[in-house]
Amino acid sequence: MKNLKKKSSSALAVLALAAGLGIAAPGPASAAYCGITWGSLPKTAAAQPTAPITNVRAGRHACFDRMVIDLRGERVGYDVRYARSVHAPGSGAHVPLRGAADLSIRVKAPAYDARGNATYRPMNRSDVVSTAGYSTFRQIAYVGSFEGQTTFGLGVRARLPYRVFTLDTPGTGSRLVVDVAHRW
């Protein structure tokens, strides 16, 4: 019994020391912040719409920065994940982004219509939306659209938790929303 108490005390001391030094297990894959459940794992939806992307915008909120991609159709498919680097569809060329972490946002929708005419053409592909003054966003880049899928790169200040969801708009449109929390 004496050895059991001694081992338990030793184990607790080691855990306390590790916590005090910041040596702990990696953070959770999800956490609650501002009443929202966040995560850092990839987020996907399988829908394959044929309706094109029409606009991209961003906004600042108290707990997160938000990117919104507008589509002409109702269903939105996507693949959003942290990546070591973001690459242009088709060519595979590396697209550098400002910030300490890169989110690759692949929307399963083209940025052109059935005739190949652009439905989304930003003035500046490297800076689709100005992120000056944002807490988390450092850059939003239009990477390209190829074979019915469009890629954006979102440079963020750190590998922070995020969430992805879709919203219907009045009529036949929809929006893909990517929120990145200001902290864990």
Side-chain angles (χ1 to χ4, degrees):
M1 187 70 166
K2 188 175 179 181
N3 279 343
L4 182 59
K5 283 184 180 180
K6 188 174 181 178
K7 286 181 183 180
S8 295
S9 296
S10 296
L12 288 174
V14 169
L15 288 174
L17 178 62
L21 294 174
I23 305 169
S30 66
Y33 165 60
C34 289
I36 301 167
T37 299
W38 301 89
S40 61
L41 298 177
K43 287 136 182 75
T44 61
Q48 186 71 36
T50 57
I53 293 170
T54 58
N55 192 30
V56 175
R57 51 204 163 89
R60 295 179 289 180
H61 296 268
C63 298
F64 55 87
D65 290 344
R66 171 172 284 177
M67 176 183 176
V68 178
I69 302 169
D70 295 316
L71 292 100
R72 201 173 286 150
E74 293 179 2
R75 299 181 327 144
V76 181
Y78 56 84
D79 183 288
V80 180
R81 64 185 61 226
Y82 277 108
R84 289 187 181 168
S85 59
V86 176
H87 298 276
S91 72
H94 172 258
V95 178
L97 297 171
R98 291 186 299 276
D102 297 349
L103 266 174
S104 173
I105 301 167
R106 187 169 42 95
V107 185
K108 297 177 182 177
Y112 48 84
D113 64 19
R115 295 183 191 154
N117 299 313
T119 58
Y120 175 69
R121 187 178 308 154
M123 295 285 288
N124 181 347
R125 291 174 65 109
S126 294
D127 285 300
V128 170
V129 178
S130 173
T131 56
Y134 281 65
S135 296
T136 300
F137 289 178
R138 296 297 178 255
Q139 181 180 4
I140 300 174
Y142 172 63
V143 178
S145 191
F146 183 71
E147 294 184 346
Q149 298 190 38
T150 303
T151 305
F152 293 91
L154 178 56
V156 295
R157 72 176 166 79
R159 189 178 175 124
L160 294 163
Y162 66 100
R163 66 179 179 167
V164 180
F165 58 95
T166 60
L167 296 170
D168 291 334
T169 61
T172 60
S174 60
R175 292 172 274 187
L176 175 63
V177 179
V178 179
D179 292 338
V180 181
H182 292 167
R183 66 176 179 84
W184 271 100

